[in-house]
Amino acid sequence: MKKIMVWLLSLTLMMTVIAGCSNEQDNSNNTGATTGDAANANETSDTNTTKGELVFWTPFGGGDYEFMKEMVDEYNSTSPEYTVEIVSKAWDTYYQGINGALISQSGPDVFITHQSKLAELIPTQQLQNIQEINSSIDWNEYNESQLAGVTVDDVQYAVPLDTHAAVMFYNNEILERANLTAEDLASANDMESWNNILEALLPVISQDEHVLDIANSGANTVQQFWSWYVLAVQDGGGYLEGDTVIMNDEPGVEALDILIDWKEKGYLKSGIDDGASYDIFKSGKAAINFTGVWATGNYETNPDLDFGVMPIPAINGQQKTWGDSHTFAIPSYVDGERQEAALYFADWINSHAVTWAKAGHVPAKKTVTESEEYLNLPYRSDYAKVVDQVVYYPSNEKLWSANDIAAKLINTAFIGDITSQEALDLAKEEIEAIME
Amino acid sequence: MTNTIKVKKVVVTLLIILIGLTMLLPILWMLIASFKVYETDVTTLHGLFGTSFTVDNFKKIVETSKIWRWTFNSFFIATVQSLVGILLASLAAFALSVIDFKGKKLVYFIILAGLMIPVEALVIPLFKIIIDLQWVNTYKGLILPGLAMPLAVIIFKQFYDSIPRELIEAASMDGASIYWVWYKIFLPLSGNTTSALLIFLFIQSWNNFLWPLLIGTDSSLMTLTVALPVFQSTFSTDVTMPMTANLFASVPAIIVFLIFQKQIVKGIAMTGIK
Amino acid sequence: MSTNRIKSSYNSWKAAFVFLFPFMLLYGFFTIYPLFNGFIMSFHTGRFGIGEEFVGLANYIKMFSDKHFYGALLNTLFFVAISTPLIVVFGLLFAVISNSRFKGANFVKIATFLPYVLSISVITSVWVYIFKPHIGLLNNVLMNIGLISEQIMWFDNSLFAWTTITVATLWWTIGFNMIILIAGLQDIPHSLYEASSIDGANRLQQFLFITLPSLSGVLKMVILLQVIASFKLFGQPWLMTGGGPGNSTTPMVQYIYETGFRDWNSGYASTLSYMLLFIMVIVAMIYNRLTKEKEV
């Protein structure tokens, strides 16, 4: 037994040393597999002028994280009163962590939250009213609808960072095979012309290629949910109205039937999980891909991929799409001075968000989106148009739970276990049950 | 006659080895796939054996993830939980076995009852306690709730019960304190039991999933078990990197297994007997 | 084993306290207290303290008309019912093989036992990649041998999804039961087998009439342990199928997790937890009754 004790203790010691060495790399690493430079030094300012450090939680990984970190490093190099330490938290348990921090009143000094999550977090009473924090921010610089999005009952709970929406990526090379151009796609303003395009693409793809690339399998079928959402809202339908589910109305059911129809016609292949869907388009194996603007940075890393991106056309009625926003929130338990520093930091990042735009998101400040630098970025200026086409989620405390339920049931209909109407009726039942 | 028996024996032996290989197959696949180049198709024989091998994946994992940190976390937490847990259990079991005191039966019953209660059923109120203590995202929050293990107490008590009382009487006649009795007599005697239990509990703690998932959300606090799926979800059509991560995470376990096989077996047999 | 009264100088309450205190402190605070606290929480609504309101039996009433609850409970019971016999039978089979005198026996023992020390994330990851359509091992091997012509969507069909979970669990836990059963096998005196072969019994008869009855105590325990472990099912569906497709592979523990940490309904989640605990205790008690009767 002594042997084991000695062994265990010495191993722990060894591990401590190793962890200590790798700790210095910690700040420049994240949990994603990136080609991030491990020698990325953390810019710390002169200790004489630094009063302390703000802890900044983000759910970002991969490219998003790299861009945000770039901006944070730049911020820190301006020798601010409080430097910022950016933390990359695992996405799967991010909001468990946020809720845990808010409820226990101990955690980050500033954090990223989706605008659609605000309704869930506000009841913790730990989201600081931004207007009560001293600042010299010119709120006119911000996009009005985004500001409206973070304001509930006249209280501003967060600072907008960006909007990101579902768009359509297309592969020029595959389009060419079917004698199609981007204009053809853009002018597909009704179901008939859209289906004609899909039909034209089917014969020109090989066995391991896809006409439509939309994730529809595995533990995360959110792309499928968003695609349904886009089709439903284009037709004037909806998802939730207050605490009432309206997704099982006619437009909703029809939207789901359309997705199933695409599968049956062979345009959509089943068994594609979320991660695979990105890889498939990136490696040039899909003609069309519906996903968020954030995929732009990822797709650009493949120089052999000849692709374009545009707002999803008005396939099913009006040209509308899905979208959400990232925002900065500051917890109430953070003390006054740090709150001011956090707010200053958030606004600074927003002013320099051209870098963030490289990730594909549309920055919240008009000064940025109207700037030459931004407009010169490829594709990005188109995205600004998309922002106006977004039909945002309604504000609802149980929204994300509802999304989870909806995505699961939509998937159940997609794989053929039940009909669309049945699935959406069930969704209404289950979602309204948790809303009470 | 003997020939048929010989043939029978050979056939059965081959069959048995085949069965063993089948059980080993997933691990062997994982092993080979981790040394293949990124995005190799490892589902064909050609892909597995006909393409080049490389250690690039290992390099990439070490460079771009906090895998050392996660391994350390797992080790640290498992070591503390098993070592300290055994200590506490041994002390408690000693009292229950050797000392007579009022309320002993009640205490024993309370501990026995705890055997039936899984952490899965307590996760909700436990989380509330951790929140109230502000221990979310801390090592104490990860380690302390699992430190008191009724199973260990029961096993120790059963063993201690079998130690002859004469030893104790002899010691008391020599004027030894009760603490001395525990430290110098019972502890050394239970060496085998202790080491087996230690390894068994170490493995259990290492494999914990639900609790670290809830409490350790900082990437610098995650254990290997919780961080692995997060890391692997960043790969989608490549199979080799996830396998490399799996192998990386399994090496400590496999080493423990090879060195401490006997103790592990003993530990399992003991929990059965409880 | 009787603990004879020893010298009264050792029977001091103070000493007992010192020995017991550290354990009981942690045990009381992190096991007993949550047990009661959870019970109280189950009669309230709220989010872990925020917006807490006493609602009496409302949560329990809600649970009994909650389709989701029945679904999750059935899923857990379904898993217990199919996995327990499989794991115990295979455990026994492998125990017999490993305990035999054939040359490969030890190899099988090690190969079967090895998965037990691996973490659940490794196990589920390997098996997910075995079952994954398009890029996974199984489908491609089956296609290459010509057994199937189309990809099997292992995760898009609830029966297939359960299969993946069960196979992974089997592979992971057979070793544990095997070890216990080997210990049990080794406790059976050789003389019994020798005597019976003199009487002309063949292997099968020996197995049925000597091995099995002698193992009955150990088997009962293995079965109980396996049942309890299956009730706690969480990691495998969570990491392999996400509880899907739909909710078809979502067990009770996942439902509790989602209610508490996704819907932030800690009161109702407590109610569900208590129900699970209650059912587990009932099952264990019924099991004990059943197995006791047999002995009499």
Side-chain angles (χ1 to χ4, degrees):
Chain A
M1 182 178 88
K2 267 204 186 143
K3 166 174 114 174
I4 298 180
M5 301 270 251
V6 171
W7 181 85
L8 272 175
L9 284 168
S10 48
L11 232 94
T12 314
L13 224 67
M14 206 171 64
M15 289 275 114
T16 322
V17 172
I18 295 178
C21 296
S22 66
N23 238 335
E24 273 149 38
Q25 287 186 9
D26 267 1
N27 289 334
S28 49
N29 279 342
N30 63 347
T31 52
T34 63
T35 46
D37 207 326
N40 218 346
N42 223 359
E43 307 260 8
T44 43
S45 37
D46 213 325
T47 40
N48 285 333
T49 51
T50 319
K51 281 191 183 172
E53 201 178 53
L54 299 176
V55 174
F56 171 42
W57 280 11
T58 74
F60 302 134
D64 276 357
Y65 175 76
E66 295 301 315
F67 285 119
M68 183 51 81
K69 180 157 194 326
E70 200 184 307
M71 295 189 289
V72 172
D73 285 345
E74 216 190 303
Y75 175 76
N76 284 335
S77 70
T78 65
S79 305
E81 269 196 340
Y82 286 85
T83 54
V84 170
E85 186 204 336
I86 177 173
V87 177
S88 159
K89 293 184 74 77
W91 167 241
D92 282 348
T93 51
Y94 184 67
Y95 284 110
Q96 270 95 303
I98 293 290
N99 265 290
L102 292 177
I103 301 174
S104 66
Q105 294 178 35
S106 111
D109 297 298
V110 56
F111 62 94
I112 296 283
T113 168
H114 285 82
Q115 183 270 337
S116 56
K117 263 287 183 181
L118 284 174
E120 178 186 299
L121 299 179
I122 291 172
T124 63
Q125 297 178 326
Q126 285 299 314
L127 289 186
Q128 180 60 42
N129 181 346
I130 300 292
Q131 291 146 353
E132 286 176 2
I133 306 178
N134 273 333
S135 80
S136 48
I137 296 179
D138 180 6
W139 294 104
N140 286 321
E141 292 182 339
Y142 283 83
N143 174 295
E144 288 85 13
S145 59
Q146 290 206 37
L147 264 186
V150 297
T151 308
V152 178
D153 290 337
D154 286 336
V155 177
Q156 183 186 348
Y157 286 105
V159 179
L161 166 64
D162 68 46
T163 295
H164 42 274
V167 289
M168 179 171 72
F169 293 87
Y170 52 91
N171 183 316
N172 286 317
E173 190 264 316
I174 300 183
L175 283 184
E176 242 179 76
R177 296 188 215 159
N179 287 326
L180 292 168
T181 65
E183 278 77 52
D184 293 322
L185 285 183
S187 48
N189 285 321
D190 53 61
M191 193 51 74
E192 205 189 311
S193 33
W194 175 254
N195 278 330
N196 287 339
I197 292 180
L198 295 180
E199 215 182 300
L201 285 166
L202 191 56
V204 307
I205 58 166
S206 65
Q207 222 206 9
D208 64 340
E209 287 178 338
H210 309 241
V211 171
L212 265 177
D213 175 22
I214 301 175
N216 56 64
S217 171
N220 176 3
T221 52
V222 80
Q223 280 188 23
Q224 184 180 51
F225 171 60
W226 292 335
S227 301
W228 168 83
Y229 186 89
V230 169
L231 291 171
V233 299
Q234 283 197 350
D235 194 12
Y239 173 38
L240 292 170
E241 238 168 42
D243 279 354
T244 312
V245 175
I246 56 173
M247 64 192 303
N248 62 337
D249 288 343
E250 217 180 293
V253 177
E254 268 174 27
L256 187 45
D257 281 334
I258 293 172
L259 281 176
I260 297 174
D261 187 49
W262 287 346
K263 175 187 91 162
E264 285 172 357
K265 293 223 171 84
Y267 306 141
L268 258 181
K269 290 190 187 166
S270 12
I272 309 296
D273 65 48
D274 192 56
S277 70
Y278 292 111
D279 263 11
I280 287 171
F281 186 80
K282 182 162 146 193
S283 55
K285 296 216 175 85
I288 299 173
N289 173 222
F290 284 172
T291 189
V293 289
W294 58 76
T296 318
N298 184 14
Y299 294 159
E300 279 175 341
T301 62
N302 180 3
D304 296 328
L305 180 66
D306 177 13
F307 77 100
V309 55
M310 67 169 69
I312 300 177
I315 310 171
N316 205 21
Q318 296 188 306
Q319 191 166 30
K320 301 246 168 247
T321 186
W322 169 92
D324 202 342
S325 298
H326 289 123
T327 68
F328 293 94
I330 301 173
S332 305
Y333 58 71
V334 178
D335 78 66
E337 214 181 76
R338 297 170 77 91
Q339 284 188 347
E340 282 176 30
L343 185 53
Y344 178 78
F345 162 69
D347 185 61
W348 190 98
I349 296 283
N350 277 324
S351 300
H352 296 78
V354 159
T355 310
W356 190 236
K358 295 187 190 154
H361 306 282
V362 179
K365 275 200 173 180
K366 293 185 285 193
T367 48
V368 174
T369 55
E370 289 164 6
S371 73
E372 231 186 274
E373 208 186 328
Y374 176 78
L375 292 170
N376 282 334
L377 293 172
Y379 318 118
R380 273 48 170 217
S381 43
D382 289 325
Y383 294 167
K385 273 188 289 174
V386 173
V387 169
D388 291 327
Q389 297 168 354
V390 171
V391 175
Y392 289 97
Y393 288 127
S395 174
N396 192 307
E397 193 186 325
K398 307 276 189 194
L399 179 71
W400 283 52
S401 303
N403 290 350
D404 205 31
I405 295 173
K408 283 188 183 157
L409 282 164
I410 285 176
N411 190 239
T412 312
F414 183 80
I415 61 179
D417 276 358
I418 50 181
T419 68
S420 301
Q421 186 71 60
E422 284 171 348
L424 296 176
D425 285 339
L426 270 172
K428 179 178 169 78
E429 229 185 279
E430 277 186 41
I431 294 176
E432 285 180 355
I434 56 161
M435 294 280 197
E436 66 181 36
Chain B
M1 258 314 170
T2 43
N3 270 339
T4 0
I5 297 184
K6 264 197 192 158
V7 169
K8 246 190 180 178
K9 262 199 172 170
V10 169
V11 167
V12 172
T13 309
L14 279 176
L15 208 63
I16 291 185
I17 295 186
L18 196 64
I19 293 178
L21 277 173
T22 312
M23 285 303 282
L24 216 48
L25 211 61
I27 296 183
L28 287 175
W29 184 56
M30 171 184 85
L31 184 66
I32 301 178
S34 28
F35 289 100
K36 306 304 297 186
V37 173
Y38 187 74
E39 294 198 317
T40 310
D41 178 4
V42 287
T43 64
T44 60
L45 283 175
H46 169 77
L48 283 170
F49 299 107
T51 57
S52 42
F53 287 86
T54 171
V55 289
D56 274 349
N57 286 350
F58 289 94
K59 282 198 212 150
K60 203 155 175 220
I61 289 189
V62 171
E63 281 167 15
T64 63
S65 77
K66 294 188 181 174
I67 197 147
W68 284 123
R69 185 56 194 251
W70 303 330
T71 310
F72 165 72
N73 284 335
S74 283
F75 250 113
F76 178 63
I77 294 170
T79 304
V80 173
Q81 276 196 330
S82 51
L83 274 178
V84 179
I86 293 270
L87 180 66
L88 297 184
S90 165
L91 288 169
F94 179 75
L96 287 175
S97 175
V98 168
I99 308 177
D100 239 339
F101 58 93
K102 264 205 207 136
K104 176 169 162 170
K105 275 213 172 126
L106 179 64
V107 171
Y108 184 59
F109 176 72
I110 294 178
I111 297 181
L112 203 56
L115 276 177
M116 265 300 312
I117 307 172
V119 75
E120 285 82 358
L122 290 180
V123 128
I124 302 289
L126 262 178
F127 189 73
K128 176 141 199 306
I129 295 176
I130 299 295
I131 282 196
D132 290 340
L133 289 169
Q134 290 192 344
W135 281 5
V136 194
N137 245 351
T138 61
Y139 279 115
K140 356 187 233 281
L142 278 169
I143 297 177
L144 288 174
L147 219 44
M149 297 176 256
L151 181 63
V153 175
I154 303 295
I155 292 182
F156 270 128
K157 175 172 185 308
Q158 276 193 336
F159 184 78
Y160 289 163
D161 283 348
S162 68
I163 296 181
R165 305 291 107 171
E166 290 81 48
L167 284 176
I168 309 175
E169 302 209 351
S172 101
M173 283 200 277
D174 283 345
S177 75
I178 188 146
Y179 310 103
W180 192 94
V181 172
W182 171 75
Y183 187 60
K184 286 287 185 183
I185 303 183
F186 277 65
L187 207 53
L189 277 180
S190 58
N192 260 341
T193 310
T194 307
S195 55
L197 208 51
L198 198 66
I199 299 291
F200 178 73
L201 292 174
F202 184 89
I203 294 178
Q204 230 181 33
S205 171
W206 183 279
N207 288 338
N208 253 340
F209 183 63
L210 183 52
W211 189 246
L213 182 70
L214 276 172
I215 300 295
T217 53
D218 253 358
S219 49
S220 58
L221 217 64
M222 288 199 279
T223 60
L224 212 46
T225 307
V226 168
L228 208 57
V230 173
F231 176 70
Q232 291 171 336
S233 65
T234 57
F235 302 96
S236 32
T237 49
D238 169 57
V239 180
T240 64
M241 278 293 265
M243 289 304 150
T244 312
N246 284 334
L247 186 61
F248 205 106
S250 304
V251 163
I254 296 181
I255 295 181
V256 167
F257 173 72
L258 293 174
I259 304 180
F260 296 111
Q261 241 182 86
K262 288 219 174 95
Q263 277 91 341
I264 305 179
V265 169
K266 190 143 185 252
I268 295 179
M270 265 192 316
T271 54
I273 296 173
K274 76 92 198 142
Chain C
M1 293 265 101
S2 59
T3 49
N4 304 318
R5 287 215 120 225
I6 55 173
K7 282 250 158 168
S8 55
S9 66
Y10 280 165
N11 287 342
S12 84
W13 210 89
K14 178 175 153 225
F17 184 78
V18 171
F19 276 97
L20 280 170
F21 182 69
F23 178 84
M24 292 307 284
L25 178 68
L26 286 170
Y27 184 65
F29 198 59
F30 290 114
T31 306
I32 303 296
Y33 174 52
L35 194 60
F36 288 108
N37 199 19
F39 190 58
I40 297 180
M41 279 172 80
S42 71
F43 296 107
H44 290 76
T45 55
R47 186 192 311 195
F48 292 103
I50 299 187
E52 223 169 51
E53 243 181 67
F54 179 72
V55 289
L57 288 173
N59 283 338
Y60 286 88
I61 296 176
K62 174 176 172 182
M63 177 176 69
F64 284 116
S65 52
D66 181 5
K67 255 202 268 180
H68 234 251
F69 160 65
Y70 290 113
L73 182 59
L74 260 143
N75 282 338
T76 297
L77 291 174
F78 175 70
F79 181 71
V80 171
I82 54 166
S83 67
T84 308
L86 278 174
I87 296 177
V88 173
V89 166
F90 273 95
L92 182 58
L93 180 65
F94 279 83
V96 168
I97 296 177
S98 305
N99 202 37
S100 71
R101 284 188 236 150
F102 290 101
K103 284 225 177 115
N106 207 36
F107 172 60
V108 168
K109 180 168 156 201
I110 296 186
T112 310
F113 186 39
L114 185 56
Y116 169 72
V117 300
L118 301 178
S119 103
I120 189 174
S121 7
V122 170
I123 308 284
T124 51
S125 167
V126 174
W127 281 98
V128 161
Y129 279 103
I130 292 179
F131 281 110
K132 248 193 189 184
H134 304 300
I135 60 170
L137 185 64
L138 187 61
N139 276 352
N140 285 326
V141 166
L142 291 179
M143 273 190 148
N144 283 332
I145 347 179
L147 270 176
I148 58 174
S149 54
E150 254 181 29
Q151 296 274 341
I152 302 179
M153 297 299 166
W154 289 101
F155 298 105
D156 282 350
N157 169 303
S158 62
L159 232 54
F160 285 160
W162 273 119
T163 307
T164 67
I165 294 174
T166 310
V167 168
T169 310
L170 247 178
W171 187 75
W172 191 34
T173 51
I174 293 181
F176 181 81
N177 295 315
M178 176 187 73
I179 296 297
I180 300 183
L181 286 167
I182 289 179
L185 283 174
Q186 287 173 344
D187 272 348
I188 306 176
H190 270 280
S191 48
L192 285 180
Y193 292 107
E194 282 160 16
S196 70
S197 33
I198 293 176
D199 282 345
N202 64 24
R203 284 275 173 85
L204 183 62
Q205 287 170 323
Q206 283 179 333
F207 181 74
L208 289 175
F209 298 114
I210 301 179
T211 316
L212 279 185
S214 313
L215 278 181
S216 73
V218 182
L219 270 174
K220 278 179 199 151
M221 197 249 321
V222 163
I223 295 176
L224 181 63
L225 280 179
Q226 197 46 54
V227 165
I228 293 180
S230 300
F231 261 101
K232 302 194 274 181
L233 180 69
F234 174 69
Q236 294 93 296
W238 183 258
L239 291 169
M240 294 181 79
T241 64
N247 289 316
S248 54
T249 60
T250 303
M252 272 300 283
V253 179
Q254 181 173 337
Y255 186 39
I256 292 173
Y257 181 89
E258 282 173 356
T259 308
F261 302 108
R262 183 199 68 179
D263 302 342
W264 295 103
N265 199 341
S266 53
Y268 189 49
S270 281
T271 314
L272 293 169
S273 306
Y274 258 81
M275 199 60 205
L276 179 65
L277 188 58
F278 180 68
I279 295 176
M280 282 173 77
V281 170
I282 298 284
V283 167
M285 277 172 37
I286 295 180
Y287 184 79
N288 267 328
R289 278 282 159 78
L290 283 177
T291 52
K292 266 207 182 116
E293 277 171 17
K294 279 198 183 153
E295 273 170 33
V296 168

